[in-house]
PDB file of all heavy atoms in Angstrom:
ATOM      1  N   THR A  71      28.914  22.396  77.972  1.00 34.00           N
ATOM      2  CA  THR A  71      29.248  23.758  78.352  1.00 34.00           C
ATOM      3  C   THR A  71      28.264  24.199  79.421  1.00 34.00           C
ATOM      4  O   THR A  71      27.350  23.505  79.793  1.00 34.00           O
ATOM      5  CB  THR A  71      29.141  24.656  77.131  1.00 34.00           C
ATOM      6  OG1 THR A  71      27.826  24.693  76.648  1.00 34.00           O
ATOM      7  CG2 THR A  71      30.082  24.199  76.024  1.00 34.00           C
ATOM      8  N   ALA A  72      28.466  25.470  79.822  1.00 32.00           N
ATOM      9  CA  ALA A  72      27.572  25.997  80.860  1.00 32.00           C
ATOM     10  C   ALA A  72      26.102  26.017  80.428  1.00 32.00           C
ATOM     11  O   ALA A  72      25.271  25.713  81.192  1.00 32.00           O
ATOM     12  CB  ALA A  72      28.028  27.381  81.235  1.00 32.00           C
ATOM     13  N   SER A  73      25.952  26.375  79.237  1.00 34.00           N
ATOM     14  CA  SER A  73      24.547  26.438  78.759  1.00 34.00           C
ATOM     15  C   SER A  73      23.887  25.106  78.587  1.00 34.00           C
ATOM     16  O   SER A  73      22.692  24.985  78.415  1.00 34.00           O
ATOM     17  CB  SER A  73      24.485  27.172  77.426  1.00 34.00           C
ATOM     18  OG  SER A  73      25.249  26.459  76.434  1.00 34.00           O
ATOM     19  N   MET A  74      24.663  24.035  78.585  1.00 36.00           N
ATOM     20  CA  MET A  74      24.083  22.660  78.396  1.00 36.00           C
ATOM     21  C   MET A  74      23.855  21.954  79.702  1.00 36.00           C
ATOM     22  O   MET A  74      23.329  20.882  79.747  1.00 36.00           O
ATOM     23  CB  MET A  74      25.080  21.862  77.547  1.00 36.00           C
ATOM     24  CG  MET A  74      25.249  22.433  76.105  1.00 36.00           C
ATOM     25  SD  MET A  74      26.456  21.500  75.232  1.00 36.00           S
ATOM     26  CE  MET A  74      25.724  19.889  75.181  1.00 36.00           C
ATOM     27  N   ARG A  75      24.299  22.591  80.849  1.00 35.00           N
ATOM     28  CA  ARG A  75      24.146  21.890  82.149  1.00 35.00           C
ATOM     29  C   ARG A  75      22.701  22.012  82.681  1.00 35.00           C
ATOM     30  O   ARG A  75      21.968  22.874  82.255  1.00 35.00           O
ATOM     31  CB  ARG A  75      25.109  22.511  83.153  1.00 35.00           C
ATOM     32  CG  ARG A  75      26.550  22.261  82.756  1.00 35.00           C
ATOM     33  CD  ARG A  75      27.523  22.927  83.699  1.00 35.00           C
ATOM     34  NE  ARG A  75      28.885  22.798  83.250  1.00 35.00           N
ATOM     35  CZ  ARG A  75      29.922  23.338  83.797  1.00 35.00           C
ATOM     36  NH1 ARG A  75      29.762  24.119  84.871  1.00 35.00           N
ATOM     37  NH2 ARG A  75      31.161  23.174  83.345  1.00 35.00           N
ATOM     38  N   SER A  76      22.417  21.194  83.633  1.00 36.00           N
ATOM     39  CA  SER A  76      21.045  21.176  84.191  1.00 36.00           C
ATOM     40  C   SER A  76      20.750  22.399  84.945  1.00 36.00           C
ATOM     41  O   SER A  76      21.618  22.995  85.583  1.00 36.00           O
ATOM     42  CB  SER A  76      20.875  19.946  85.119  1.00 36.00           C
ATOM     43  OG  SER A  76      21.143  18.779  84.393  1.00 36.00           O
ATOM     44  N   VAL A  77      19.556  22.805  84.867  1.00 36.00           N
ATOM     45  CA  VAL A  77      19.099  24.014  85.584  1.00 36.00           C
ATOM     46  C   VAL A  77      18.133  23.593  86.678  1.00 36.00           C
ATOM     47  O   VAL A  77      17.712  22.459  86.742  1.00 36.00           O
ATOM     48  CB  VAL A  77      18.427  25.015  84.596  1.00 36.00           C
ATOM     49  CG1 VAL A  77      19.472  25.481  83.597  1.00 36.00           C
ATOM     50  CG2 VAL A  77      17.243  24.370  83.916  1.00 36.00           C
ATOM     51  N   VAL A  78      17.753  24.615  87.523  1.00 35.00           N
ATOM     52  CA  VAL A  78      16.791  24.358  88.573  1.00 35.00           C
ATOM     53  C   VAL A  78      15.435  23.964  87.968  1.00 35.00           C
ATOM     54  O   VAL A  78      15.034  24.558  86.972  1.00 35.00           O
ATOM     55  CB  VAL A  78      16.617  25.623  89.450  1.00 35.00           C
ATOM     56  CG1 VAL A  78      15.651  25.378  90.584  1.00 35.00           C
ATOM     57  CG2 VAL A  78      18.002  25.962  90.087  1.00 35.00           C
ATOM     58  N   SER A  79      14.817  22.972  88.560  1.00 37.00           N
ATOM     59  CA  SER A  79      13.612  22.420  87.915  1.00 37.00           C
ATOM     60  C   SER A  79      12.417  23.313  88.100  1.00 37.00           C
ATOM     61  O   SER A  79      11.405  23.067  87.534  1.00 37.00           O
ATOM     62  CB  SER A  79      13.361  21.067  88.505  1.00 37.00           C
ATOM     63  OG  SER A  79      13.150  21.153  89.924  1.00 37.00           O
ATOM     64  N   ASN A  80      12.526  24.431  89.021  1.00 39.00           N
ATOM     65  CA  ASN A  80      11.354  25.332  89.198  1.00 39.00           C
ATOM     66  C   ASN A  80      11.332  26.338  88.098  1.00 39.00           C
ATOM     67  O   ASN A  80      12.197  27.249  88.108  1.00 39.00           O
ATOM     68  CB  ASN A  80      11.483  25.990  90.602  1.00 39.00           C
ATOM     69  CG  ASN A  80      10.248  26.828  90.876  1.00 39.00           C
ATOM     70  OD1 ASN A  80       9.294  26.837  90.131  1.00 39.00           O
ATOM     71  ND2 ASN A  80      10.252  27.495  92.069  1.00 39.00           N
ATOM     72  N   PRO A  81      10.392  26.314  87.198  1.00 39.00           N
ATOM     73  CA  PRO A  81      10.464  27.232  86.061  1.00 39.00           C
ATOM     74  C   PRO A  81       9.938  28.604  86.437  1.00 39.00           C
ATOM     75  O   PRO A  81      10.108  29.495  85.700  1.00 39.00           O
ATOM     76  CB  PRO A  81       9.485  26.533  85.081  1.00 39.00           C
ATOM     77  CG  PRO A  81       8.541  25.748  85.905  1.00 39.00           C
ATOM     78  CD  PRO A  81       9.332  25.321  87.084  1.00 39.00           C
ATOM     79  N   TRP A  82       9.259  28.719  87.579  1.00 38.00           N
ATOM     80  CA  TRP A  82       8.745  30.055  87.952  1.00 38.00           C
ATOM     81  C   TRP A  82       9.701  30.905  88.860  1.00 38.00           C
ATOM     82  O   TRP A  82       9.455  31.995  89.160  1.00 38.00           O
ATOM     83  CB  TRP A  82       7.383  29.913  88.673  1.00 38.00           C
ATOM     84  CG  TRP A  82       6.356  29.385  87.764  1.00 38.00           C
ATOM     85  CD1 TRP A  82       5.626  30.060  86.891  1.00 38.00           C
ATOM     86  CD2 TRP A  82       5.992  28.038  87.691  1.00 38.00           C
ATOM     87  NE1 TRP A  82       4.804  29.230  86.217  1.00 38.00           N
ATOM     88  CE2 TRP A  82       4.972  27.910  86.669  1.00 38.00           C
ATOM     89  CE3 TRP A  82       6.419  26.786  88.311  1.00 38.00           C
ATOM     90  CZ2 TRP A  82       4.353  26.770  86.316  1.00 38.00           C
ATOM     91  CZ3 TRP A  82       5.793  25.619  87.948  1.00 38.00           C
ATOM     92  CH2 TRP A  82       4.770  25.571  86.968  1.00 38.00           C
ATOM     93  N   ALA A  83      10.771  30.244  89.268  1.00 37.00           N
ATOM     94  CA  ALA A  83      11.733  30.984  90.141  1.00 37.00           C
ATOM     95  C   ALA A  83      12.554  31.950  89.309  1.00 37.00           C
ATOM     96  O   ALA A  83      12.853  31.664  88.132  1.00 37.00           O
ATOM     97  CB  ALA A  83      12.661  29.973  90.800  1.00 37.00           C
ATOM     98  N   PRO A  84      12.946  33.116  89.846  1.00 38.00           N
ATOM     99  CA  PRO A  84      13.719  34.042  89.070  1.00 38.00           C
ATOM    100  C   PRO A  84      15.136  33.505  88.954  1.00 38.00           C
ATOM    101  O   PRO A  84      15.572  32.642  89.644  1.00 38.00           O
ATOM    102  CB  PRO A  84      13.720  35.313  89.945  1.00 38.00           C
ATOM    103  CG  PRO A  84      13.503  34.795  91.301  1.00 38.00           C
ATOM    104  CD  PRO A  84      12.625  33.613  91.176  1.00 38.00           C
ATOM    105  N   PRO A  85      15.875  33.995  87.953  1.00 39.00           N
ATOM    106  CA  PRO A  85      17.250  33.450  87.743  1.00 39.00           C
ATOM    107  C   PRO A  85      18.106  33.750  88.960  1.00 39.00           C
ATOM    108  O   PRO A  85      17.996  34.774  89.591  1.00 39.00           O
ATOM    109  CB  PRO A  85      17.701  34.226  86.521  1.00 39.00           C
ATOM    110  CG  PRO A  85      16.876  35.471  86.510  1.00 39.00           C
ATOM    111  CD  PRO A  85      15.553  35.080  87.045  1.00 39.00           C
ATOM    112  N   GLN A  86      18.931  32.745  89.260  1.00 38.00           N
ATOM    113  CA  GLN A  86      19.800  32.828  90.427  1.00 38.00           C
ATOM    114  C   GLN A  86      20.993  33.770  90.088  1.00 38.00           C
ATOM    115  O   GLN A  86      21.698  33.519  89.138  1.00 38.00           O
ATOM    116  CB  GLN A  86      20.355  31.459  90.825  1.00 38.00           C
ATOM    117  CG  GLN A  86      19.244  30.520  91.245  1.00 38.00           C
ATOM    118  CD  GLN A  86      18.807  30.788  92.700  1.00 38.00           C
ATOM    119  OE1 GLN A  86      19.474  31.527  93.426  1.00 38.00           O
ATOM    120  NE2 GLN A  86      17.736  30.170  93.107  1.00 38.00           N
ATOM    121  N   THR A  87      21.177  34.808  90.829  1.00 38.00           N
ATOM    122  CA  THR A  87      22.298  35.675  90.671  1.00 38.00           C
ATOM    123  C   THR A  87      23.407  35.300  91.649  1.00 38.00           C
ATOM    124  O   THR A  87      23.188  34.523  92.570  1.00 38.00           O
ATOM    125  CB  THR A  87      21.913  37.157  90.908  1.00 38.00           C
ATOM    126  OG1 THR A  87      21.522  37.274  92.272  1.00 38.00           O
ATOM    127  CG2 THR A  87      20.797  37.551  89.982  1.00 38.00           C
ATOM    128  N   GLY A  88      24.545  35.928  91.453  1.00 37.00           N
ATOM    129  CA  GLY A  88      25.660  35.539  92.379  1.00 37.00           C
ATOM    130  C   GLY A  88      25.376  35.976  93.810  1.00 37.00           C
ATOM    131  O   GLY A  88      25.637  35.210  94.742  1.00 37.00           O
ATOM    132  N   ASN A  89      24.841  37.206  94.041  1.00 37.00           N
ATOM    133  CA  ASN A  89      24.613  37.691  95.353  1.00 37.00           C
ATOM    134  C   ASN A  89      23.569  36.803  96.033  1.00 37.00           C
ATOM    135  O   ASN A  89      23.716  36.440  97.189  1.00 37.00           O
ATOM    136  CB  ASN A  89      24.189  39.116  95.377  1.00 37.00           C
ATOM    137  CG  ASN A  89      25.324  40.034  94.891  1.00 37.00           C
ATOM    138  OD1 ASN A  89      26.483  39.663  95.155  1.00 37.00           O
ATOM    139  ND2 ASN A  89      24.963  41.199  94.353  1.00 37.00           N
ATOM    140  N   ARG A  90      22.475  36.534  95.311  1.00 36.00           N
ATOM    141  CA  ARG A  90      21.402  35.721  95.886  1.00 36.00           C
ATOM    142  C   ARG A  90      21.892  34.358  96.208  1.00 36.00           C
ATOM    143  O   ARG A  90      21.522  33.728  97.207  1.00 36.00           O
ATOM    144  CB  ARG A  90      20.164  35.697  95.038  1.00 36.00           C
ATOM    145  CG  ARG A  90      19.531  37.107  94.866  1.00 36.00           C
ATOM    146  CD  ARG A  90      18.439  37.091  93.836  1.00 36.00           C
ATOM    147  NE  ARG A  90      17.343  36.322  94.284  1.00 36.00           N
ATOM    148  CZ  ARG A  90      16.219  36.170  93.574  1.00 36.00           C
ATOM    149  NH1 ARG A  90      16.078  36.748  92.394  1.00 36.00           N
ATOM    150  NH2 ARG A  90      15.226  35.396  94.049  1.00 36.00           N
ATOM    151  N   GLY A  91      22.684  33.843  95.366  1.00 37.00           N
ATOM    152  CA  GLY A  91      23.198  32.493  95.669  1.00 37.00           C
ATOM    153  C   GLY A  91      24.131  32.548  96.871  1.00 37.00           C
ATOM    154  O   GLY A  91      24.183  31.666  97.707  1.00 37.00           O
ATOM    155  N   PHE A  92      24.935  33.668  96.991  1.00 34.00           N
ATOM    156  CA  PHE A  92      25.855  33.735  98.137  1.00 34.00           C
ATOM    157  C   PHE A  92      25.143  33.912  99.437  1.00 34.00           C
ATOM    158  O   PHE A  92      25.525  33.357 100.443  1.00 34.00           O
ATOM    159  CB  PHE A  92      26.823  34.920  97.899  1.00 34.00           C
ATOM    160  CG  PHE A  92      27.777  35.152  99.049  1.00 34.00           C
ATOM    161  CD1 PHE A  92      28.870  34.298  99.206  1.00 34.00           C
ATOM    162  CD2 PHE A  92      27.557  36.187  99.964  1.00 34.00           C
ATOM    163  CE1 PHE A  92      29.748  34.527 100.281  1.00 34.00           C
ATOM    164  CE2 PHE A  92      28.440  36.352 101.039  1.00 34.00           C
ATOM    165  CZ  PHE A  92      29.550  35.534 101.162  1.00 34.00           C
ATOM    166  N   LEU A  93      24.048  34.687  99.431  1.00 30.00           N
ATOM    167  CA  LEU A  93      23.279  34.910 100.671  1.00 30.00           C
ATOM    168  C   LEU A  93      22.503  33.684 101.084  1.00 30.00           C
ATOM    169  O   LEU A  93      22.180  33.527 102.240  1.00 30.00           O
ATOM    170  CB  LEU A  93      22.374  36.102 100.512  1.00 30.00           C
ATOM    171  CG  LEU A  93      23.052  37.455 100.334  1.00 30.00           C
ATOM    172  CD1 LEU A  93      22.050  38.541 100.033  1.00 30.00           C
ATOM    173  CD2 LEU A  93      23.874  37.804 101.600  1.00 30.00           C
ATOM    174  N   ASN A  94      22.180  32.853 100.179  1.00 35.00           N
ATOM    175  CA  ASN A  94      21.309  31.704 100.484  1.00 35.00           C
ATOM    176  C   ASN A  94      22.031  30.377 100.300  1.00 35.00           C
ATOM    177  O   ASN A  94      21.439  29.406  99.887  1.00 35.00           O
ATOM    178  CB  ASN A  94      20.065  31.716  99.619  1.00 35.00           C
ATOM    179  CG  ASN A  94      19.192  32.935  99.840  1.00 35.00           C
ATOM    180  OD1 ASN A  94      18.640  33.093 100.920  1.00 35.00           O
ATOM    181  ND2 ASN A  94      19.136  33.859  98.864  1.00 35.00           N
ATOM    182  N   THR A  95      23.239  30.376 100.687  1.00 34.00           N
ATOM    183  CA  THR A  95      23.990  29.114 100.513  1.00 34.00           C
ATOM    184  C   THR A  95      23.464  28.000 101.409  1.00 34.00           C
ATOM    185  O   THR A  95      23.448  26.875 101.017  1.00 34.00           O
ATOM    186  CB  THR A  95      25.463  29.321 100.808  1.00 34.00           C
ATOM    187  OG1 THR A  95      25.565  29.928 102.109  1.00 34.00           O
ATOM    188  CG2 THR A  95      26.085  30.244  99.775  1.00 34.00           C
ATOM    189  N   ALA A  96      23.033  28.412 102.587  1.00 35.00           N
ATOM    190  CA  ALA A  96      22.516  27.336 103.460  1.00 35.00           C
ATOM    191  C   ALA A  96      21.204  26.761 102.960  1.00 35.00           C
ATOM    192  O   ALA A  96      21.021  25.565 102.985  1.00 35.00           O
ATOM    193  CB  ALA A  96      22.299  27.945 104.915  1.00 35.00           C
ATOM    194  N   GLY A  97      20.412  27.688 102.445  1.00 37.00           N
ATOM    195  CA  GLY A  97      19.146  27.184 101.906  1.00 37.00           C
ATOM    196  C   GLY A  97      19.391  26.257 100.690  1.00 37.00           C
ATOM    197  O   GLY A  97      18.711  25.272 100.517  1.00 37.00           O
ATOM    198  N   MET A  98      20.374  26.630  99.905  1.00 37.00           N
ATOM    199  CA  MET A  98      20.600  25.812  98.706  1.00 37.00           C
ATOM    200  C   MET A  98      21.229  24.491  99.096  1.00 37.00           C
ATOM    201  O   MET A  98      21.031  23.482  98.444  1.00 37.00           O
ATOM    202  CB  MET A  98      21.561  26.589  97.763  1.00 37.00           C
ATOM    203  CG  MET A  98      20.972  27.878  97.210  1.00 37.00           C
ATOM    204  SD  MET A  98      19.490  27.563  96.250  1.00 37.00           S
ATOM    205  CE  MET A  98      20.161  26.618  94.985  1.00 37.00           C
TER     206      MET A  98
END
Side-chain angles (χ1 to χ4, degrees):
T71 63
S73 61
M74 298 175 61
R75 296 175 183 176
S76 301
V77 296
V78 179
S79 60
N80 185 2
W82 293 277
Q86 297 281 350
T87 64
N89 293 330
R90 294 174 65 180
F92 176 76
L93 294 174
N94 296 294
T95 53
M98 295 300 296

